[in-house]
């Protein structure tokens, strides 16, 4: 079983609407959680990075939250734009010496006009 | 532009062949990470090098190998290629040995026929 589960698998919303993507993890001990945006055929781009002590972080219209107790994170996108259409990947790192990284399968977001 | 460069952009080869993918990290970054992303699949971490030394290993096949050179560029060697090796191969770099802030390259698309 993957240690990082993302939901939904895919999502279609209308331009201008808000949406929230979920990431649940079992990785332990927790080091940090990152959200990436990946356009089709392109390399992922970092949106936010959160450590154990951070419970929210914003990057423009993107706001990530982290609940380390329940091991859940969400990525909220406000006032969506067509350019937000992409895959959003949650990556959780364990605080091992080898920097064990676990990747979610991603949520495919489509924003329609 | 992340500052990470990868060559070639596309590669088409036959089964059983061997190929080399090249990555140049951002200026000043000491770590290089390699990832494989098959069609409609999530990112799979392959291997990490830090300042010339192997730092972490993920799901890398024995047919694959990598190295990081003194000038910090890295090469991923894929041998005895199979159809299932067709994928996007991404390189990422970070300034330290921990993947806290990673910058991804544009990827190399490998097609094995």
């Amino acid at each position: 079983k993957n240690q990082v589960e993302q939901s939904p698998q895919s999502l279609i919303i209308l331009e201008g609407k808000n949406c929230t993507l979920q990431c649940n993890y079992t990785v332990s001990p927790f080091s940090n959680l990152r959200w990436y945006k990946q356009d089709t055929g392109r390399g992922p781009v970092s949106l936010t990075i959160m450590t154990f002590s951070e419970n929210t972080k914003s990057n423009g219209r993107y706001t990530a939250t982290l609940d380390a107790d329940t091991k859940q994170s969400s990525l909220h996108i406000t006032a969506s734009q067509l350019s937000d259409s992409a895959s959003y990947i949650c990556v959780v790192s364990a605080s091992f010496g080898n920097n064990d990284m676990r990747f979610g399968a991603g949520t495919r977001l489509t924003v329609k006009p | 532009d992340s500052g990470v460069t990868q060559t070639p952009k596309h590669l088409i080869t036959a089964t059983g062949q061997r190929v080399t993918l090249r990555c140049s990290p951002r200026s000043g970054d000491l770590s290089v990470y390699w990832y494989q992303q098959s069609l409609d699949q999530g990112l799979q971490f392959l291997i990490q090098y830090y300042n010339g030394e192997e730092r972490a290993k993920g799901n890398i096949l024995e047919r694959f190998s990598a190295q990081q050179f003194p000038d910090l560029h890295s090469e991923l060697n894929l041998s005895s290629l199979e159809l299932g090796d067709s994928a996007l191969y991404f390189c990422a770099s970070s300034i330290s040995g921990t993947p806290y802030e990673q910058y991804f390259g544009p990827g190399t698309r490998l097609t094995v026929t």
Side-chain angles (χ1 to χ4, degrees):
Chain A
K1 185 180 188 295
N2 196 357
Q3 295 185 11
V4 179
E5 299 285 346
Q6 290 189 243
S7 62
Q9 194 172 29
S10 62
L11 183 62
I12 301 174
I13 62 174
L14 292 176
E15 187 179 11
K17 297 296 185 183
N18 303 335
C19 68
T20 300
L21 314 180
Q22 298 289 344
C23 174
N24 297 337
Y25 63 92
T26 59
V27 175
S28 182
F30 173 84
S31 175
N32 62 77
L33 185 147
R34 289 164 279 155
W35 282 96
Y36 287 94
K37 177 187 178 189
Q38 185 180 22
D39 294 317
T40 302
R42 307 285 295 271
V45 174
S46 179
L47 294 175
T48 63
I49 304 170
M50 288 182 291
T51 59
F52 185 87
S53 59
E54 297 171 299
N55 55 24
T56 188
K57 191 164 270 192
S58 292
N59 178 358
R61 294 180 296 103
Y62 301 100
T63 299
T65 63
L66 173 65
D67 186 333
D69 291 331
T70 62
K71 297 186 177 174
Q72 295 179 325
S73 176
S74 64
L75 180 69
H76 186 73
I77 304 175
T78 304
S80 61
Q81 300 176 358
L82 298 178
S83 59
D84 292 331
S85 295
S87 287
Y88 291 83
I89 303 167
C90 174
V91 183
V92 183
S93 292
S95 53
F96 298 134
N98 65 352
N99 307 312
D100 196 14
M101 293 178 281
R102 300 292 174 178
F103 289 78
T107 291
R108 177 72 204 171
L109 174 66
T110 303
V111 180
K112 295 201 166 182
Chain B
D1 184 1
S2 66
V4 178
T5 60
Q6 290 187 247
T7 57
K9 191 165 182 157
H10 300 280
L11 197 50
I12 301 174
T13 189
T15 55
Q17 295 299 305
R18 172 190 166 97
V19 298
T20 297
L21 313 183
R22 182 188 168 104
C23 167
S24 292
R26 290 189 327 150
S27 177
D29 284 359
L30 299 178
S31 270
V32 169
Y33 309 76
W34 286 98
Y35 297 89
Q36 179 192 58
Q37 188 174 41
S38 302
L39 188 65
D40 293 332
Q41 297 293 313
L43 283 164
Q44 296 287 327
F45 168 63
L46 297 178
I47 197 164
Q48 175 200 357
Y49 279 82
Y50 174 71
N51 205 19
E53 300 288 328
E54 183 183 304
R55 180 74 173 239
K57 218 167 191 176
N59 300 320
I60 188 165
L61 299 173
E62 284 192 14
R63 300 184 286 108
F64 297 179
S65 65
Q67 58 184 137
Q68 186 179 28
F69 295 86
D71 67 352
L72 300 177
H73 91 271
S74 177
E75 292 181 355
L76 179 66
N77 300 297
L78 315 175
S79 61
S80 303
L81 285 167
E82 302 174 0
L83 295 177
D85 297 327
S86 295
L88 268 167
Y89 290 85
F90 289 105
C91 165
S93 72
S94 66
I95 194 165
S96 73
T98 57
Y100 187 74
E101 184 78 69
Q102 277 186 326
Y103 296 87
F104 281 79
T108 292
R109 182 173 293 282
L110 173 67
T111 303
V112 182
T113 61

